[in-house]
Amino acid sequence: MSNEITSPDQPLYQREGAYIPRVAAVHDMCGYGKCSLGVAIPVLSAAGCDVCPVPTSLFSSHTAFPGWYMHDTTEMLSDYLQAWKNIGVDIDAVYSGFLGAPEQVDRIRDLYAMYPSALRVVDPVMADHGKVYPTYTPELCAAMADLADGADILTPNLTEAAIILGEPIGDDWAGENISDEQAHHLVDGLLAKGTRTVVLKGIQREDGKIRNFVGTEGGAFFEVGNELLPYMLHGTGDLYCSCLLAAVMAGRTLKESVIFAGDFVHDAMLVSSQQPQFRDRGVSFETMLGRVSDLLK
């Protein structure tokens, strides 16, 4: 992106006519427990995007289940992306999430070099509730933090923001209530690392709200809140960022996109609660995809 993001009422992507934008989705593929590519592909497709997966690893299920299996795809990714280059694949946005190894950050940098005008969306999926995910080493966390530099949109939760900024993680950054001043401090710190737009997710308030704080390189700062539901679900972070990007790629403004993503995740969690074993199977959004397609109207 070449223009400075100064206003929440500014679109981050200009949708043109009948053109279908292409998004490189750099995420893992999870067989059970809806998350990652299992969320990004249907949501972005519903928004009229051509989703081009770059699988960073293959999982039997998300890691909250015992006995999960992981296959790291790092060794194949250089050849995979070179094959794209050989056939002239073009990309309008690079959207990265869960990574399997530090070297995969280099592959994302390769994508940035191949597509210098593509929107760069980084969901730094590596930790939550004050704890790092079991497959993440300190080296991988450090490599993931490097992606904040140059990201057009960065969507960390509190724990991930602390890791990127070199803060000690733990109960202080577990997702509970923090002050507006603390939130502003974290957003400003992430912007100082070279991010153009920060969406700090999942700050729980004592008033029964869950809030997302948004800041831009041009100095805009605002927050958007939703009802805090009495349960958590796996995959909601992936769904949030995928919905945010879906709205952006549909030509909506930054503020519209943030509001849409928060509302969609909230309502999908309500749908999820009506499903059997909903706390394990992940967030259910399938019956709501029409709302994503409506972004194009």
Side-chain angles (χ1 to χ4, degrees), residues 69-82:
Y69 168 79
M70 173 189 176
H71 174 73
D72 182 353
T73 62
T74 302
E75 290 187 3
M76 62 167 262
L77 290 182
S78 290
D79 291 340
Y80 186 100
L81 296 179
Q82 182 61 45

Side-chain angles (χ1 to χ4, degrees), residues 131-249:
K131 296 181 180 179
V132 176
Y133 294 146
T135 61
Y136 268 71
T137 63
E139 293 77 17
L140 180 50
C141 288
M144 179 73 88
D146 287 342
L147 285 174
D149 183 6
D152 290 310
I153 305 172
L154 183 74
T155 62
N157 59 38
L158 280 174
T159 307
E160 291 157 351
I163 292 171
I164 293 169
L165 294 173
E167 301 272 359
I169 64 171
D171 291 342
D172 288 346
W173 304 118
E176 301 300 328
N177 187 25
I178 65 171
S179 68
D180 291 357
E181 291 75 20
Q182 286 175 305
H184 213 310
H185 170 75
L186 290 171
V187 170
D188 287 345
L190 294 168
L191 291 169
K193 291 187 74 69
T195 302
R196 307 191 69 188
T197 306
V198 173
V199 182
L200 181 62
K201 304 180 300 186
I203 298 171
Q204 299 176 16
R205 292 300 207 194
E206 294 174 348
D207 61 0
K209 296 287 187 180
I210 186 166
R211 302 183 188 275
N212 302 311
F213 284 85
V214 184
T216 74
E217 61 179 344
F221 186 85
F222 65 98
E223 67 173 90
V224 175
N226 291 94
E227 175 192 14
L228 177 62
L229 297 173
Y231 51 89
M232 65 83 64
L233 294 176
H234 298 283
T236 51
D238 296 331
L239 182 61
Y240 180 90
C241 194
S242 296
C243 287
L244 173 62
L245 181 56
V248 166
M249 300 308 289

